[in-house]
Amino acid sequence: MTDFSNCKRVFYEDFELRVHEDVYEPAEDSFALAKHVPAFAKGNVLDMGTGSGLLAIVASNEGTTVLGVDVNPLAVENARFNSELNGSGCKFSESNLFTELESKFDLIIFNPPYLPTGAGEAVPGHINKAWDGGSDGREVIDRFLADAPDFLSPTGAILTLASSLSGIKETVEALSKEGLKTEVLEEVSMFQEKLAVIVARK
């Protein structure tokens, strides 16, 4: 059992998290998504790639049932700690995208790894999977988009984030091709990129 009590403290609104150095630390992309979670959180919620658990915890504050999954086993452990720290009832488990899942969800949240990563640019350990999107930044995104609609309830929605570094338009078009009604909720301009918060509904 890892002791997270002395890890870096991160704050979002009234929530406090402790984030291990080998777990993705919530940043501008996380906070942009978190702002929109309350408007769409209902019923059965999946936080894909939960990391420190921030988005799962925000969703659970809306009276939902939340499952957070991550390919990084340390992130699952860290998110569970943060859920308990904030008094939320989230559940967490290890899964590589949808490989270990069978349920349908009313909301799927995903802050994907979207940084284009060339040969030799990967860093050691599980933390690399938090941002490594492959050579064009879309390796994990496209796998997610291909499967996510099958895990949505009849009135379900996907809340995700896209970056200009790996293609905002491409993500919107991919969701639309799956027959989902897609809307860009917000765009955030940063130093070297633009982020877009996207919702796609059945």
Side-chain angles (χ1 to χ4, degrees):
M1 182 73 71
T2 307
D3 181 10
F4 297 99
S5 57
N6 293 319
C7 291
K8 183 174 181 179
R9 301 168 75 189
V10 176
F11 297 90
Y12 175 77
E13 294 187 346
D14 295 331
F15 304 108
E16 176 185 342
L17 295 88
R18 308 294 171 88
V19 184
H20 193 279
E21 62 183 3
D22 288 325
V23 174
Y24 185 71
E25 179 182 331
E28 288 84 355
D29 50 358
S30 310
F31 301 141
L33 262 179
K35 184 168 69 172
H36 293 276
V37 165
F40 298 97
K42 62 177 182 176
N44 197 22
V45 177
L46 172 66
D47 181 23
M48 177 67 71
T50 193
S52 66
L54 172 63
L55 300 175
I57 293 167
V58 172
S60 73
N61 202 46
E62 302 302 313
T64 59
T65 300
V66 182
L67 172 64
V69 300
D70 205 290
V71 69
N72 178 357
L74 185 62
V76 172
E77 194 181 347
N78 197 168
R80 190 174 291 126
F81 174 91
N82 285 322
S83 177
E84 294 173 359
L85 180 66
N86 288 275
S88 63
C90 304
K91 296 187 180 302
F92 298 94
S93 64
E94 190 176 343
S95 183
N96 186 348
L97 293 180
F98 295 97
T99 55
E100 305 300 322
L101 302 178
E102 295 179 353
S103 301
K104 300 279 188 179
F105 298 92
D106 300 301
L107 176 65
I108 299 175
I109 308 166
F110 190 34
N111 182 8
Y114 55 74
L115 292 183
T117 306
E121 292 182 330
V123 299
H126 284 290
I127 187 65
N128 182 71
K129 293 183 179 179
W131 55 69
D132 186 345
S135 59
D136 62 356
R138 298 199 59 85
E139 181 179 319
V140 179
I141 295 170
D142 288 338
R143 284 171 51 211
F144 169 82
L145 295 176
D147 292 338
D150 293 335
F151 289 85
L152 283 179
S153 70
T155 59
I158 297 169
L159 184 65
T160 190
L161 185 131
S163 166
S164 57
L165 297 177
S166 50
I168 295 171
K169 180 182 177 183
E170 287 82 351
T171 294
V172 170
E173 289 179 347
L175 287 163
S176 298
K177 284 179 181 177
E178 294 291 341
L180 301 175
K181 298 174 183 177
T182 305
E183 177 185 359
V184 176
L185 299 172
E186 180 181 8
E187 292 188 343
V188 180
S189 294
M190 301 176 64
F191 179 61
Q192 292 181 314
E193 66 178 315
K194 179 183 289 184
L195 301 176
V197 178
I198 300 168
V199 66
R201 306 176 181 90
K202 276 196 166 183

